[in-house]
Amino acid sequence: GAGVSQSPSNKVTEKGKDVELRCDPISGHTALYWYRQSLGQGLEFLIYFQGNSAPDKSGLPSDRFSAERTGGSVSTLTIQRTQQEDSAVYLCASSLSMAVIGVDNEQFFGPGTRLTVL
Amino acid sequence: GEDVEQSLFLSVREGDSSVINCTYTDSSSTYLYWYKQEPGAGLQLLTYIFSNMDMKQDQRLTVLLNKKDKHLSLRIADTQTGDSAIYFCAEKDGDKIIFGKGTRLHILP
């Protein structure tokens, strides 16, 4: 399909282990975003990438969280030494650009990865 | 920091109108959005409104913006069972979009 895809769809891990979550944005979209959706906490911005610019990491909750975007396409969100409070659905989104025009801002979301830390 | 607030739950009878309210804090927001999240799916953009508009209508959806009070609402006319979802209000904050916690719309038979 032509939408944003994420893998895995579900991940169960033990506390202290590292995990990698993958996002494949829509082809041609220059902007990519990671969000975390925790129960009762709503949607929390984590990080975004825009083209070749340095990513905005202002939303990352701790230095255990990092993300890369290789070749301006696929992105990986890595959580090191996972904690139980990291359990959440991690959503990825992409948009055509960061242009001012509202339509170009439209973010298309993937189905998310549900992370459970035991 | 910037904040977007909305009530967490709303129950509406099928056929009635649903009104989901949202308040935001950034008076310089240029765009405000409504996203819909159906169970097990990602968020989908429903509609957006530019900050110099008061109202936008799109079929069953009406968005009202009171910029003075920083209040945004989404009205869904003739609510159907397929409208059952979580609705997120969001504002454009520089290069980022800040989301509210979402309002879960429950449709009563």
Side-chain angles (χ1 to χ4, degrees):
Chain A
V4 177
S5 61
Q6 294 185 243
S7 60
S9 55
N10 280 283
K11 176 72 177 179
V12 180
T13 190
E14 292 179 350
K15 178 181 170 181
K17 295 282 180 68
D18 297 351
V19 295
E20 283 189 354
L21 312 180
R22 177 188 167 106
C23 172
D24 282 88
I26 293 173
S27 177
H29 280 192
T30 62
L32 185 147
Y33 314 77
W34 282 99
Y35 296 88
R36 178 167 69 175
Q37 188 175 27
S38 306
L39 190 63
Q41 297 298 315
L43 205 61
E44 177 187 7
F45 166 80
L46 296 178
I47 185 171
Y48 91 88
F49 298 86
Q50 169 57 37
N52 296 320
S53 303
D56 178 351
K57 303 180 182 180
S58 60
L60 294 178
S62 77
D63 58 8
R64 296 187 295 106
F65 288 72
S66 62
E68 289 184 340
R69 189 178 184 193
T70 53
S73 180
V74 171
S75 176
T76 303
L77 177 69
T78 302
I79 309 173
Q80 296 177 306
R81 305 181 302 281
T82 53
Q83 305 294 312
Q84 287 183 332
E85 61 262 28
D86 298 335
S87 296
V89 175
Y90 289 82
L91 292 167
C92 174
S94 70
S95 68
L96 189 60
S97 74
M98 291 303 298
V100 173
I101 299 172
V103 173
D104 287 343
N105 269 326
E106 179 178 355
Q107 296 185 24
F108 294 83
F109 282 78
T113 293
R114 181 175 295 279
L115 174 66
T116 303
V117 182
L118 301 176
Chain B
E2 306 308 334
D3 199 15
V4 177
E5 294 193 357
Q6 51 186 131
S7 55
L8 295 182
F9 298 100
L10 177 66
S11 290
V12 175
R13 293 207 176 275
E14 188 176 358
D16 288 351
S17 292
S18 305
V19 180
I20 303 171
N21 294 301
C22 166
T23 57
Y24 60 98
T25 57
D26 184 4
S27 59
S28 63
S29 292
T30 52
Y31 286 91
L32 296 130
Y33 307 86
W34 283 103
Y35 280 80
K36 177 182 181 182
Q37 185 181 32
E38 298 188 46
L43 278 71
Q44 178 185 15
L45 180 66
L46 270 183
T47 186
Y48 69 94
I49 188 168
F50 189 49
S51 60
N52 69 353
M53 297 168 65
D54 298 324
M55 186 182 84
K56 182 177 181 181
Q57 186 151 6
D58 183 4
Q59 299 182 337
R60 291 190 299 121
L61 305 179
T62 303
V63 178
L64 294 177
L65 174 61
N66 182 330
K67 197 173 179 182
K68 174 175 170 289
D69 295 338
K70 300 193 192 78
H71 182 268
L72 184 74
S73 68
L74 173 69
R75 179 177 180 269
I76 305 172
D78 187 24
T79 308
Q80 304 297 308
T81 54
D83 296 326
S84 181
I86 301 176
Y87 291 82
F88 290 89
C89 173
E91 63 170 343
K92 189 174 186 297
D93 173 25
D95 290 337
K96 293 184 292 193
I97 295 180
I98 307 298
F99 288 82
K101 292 187 177 181
T103 299
R104 183 179 294 276
L105 178 62
H106 177 61
I107 314 302
L108 302 168

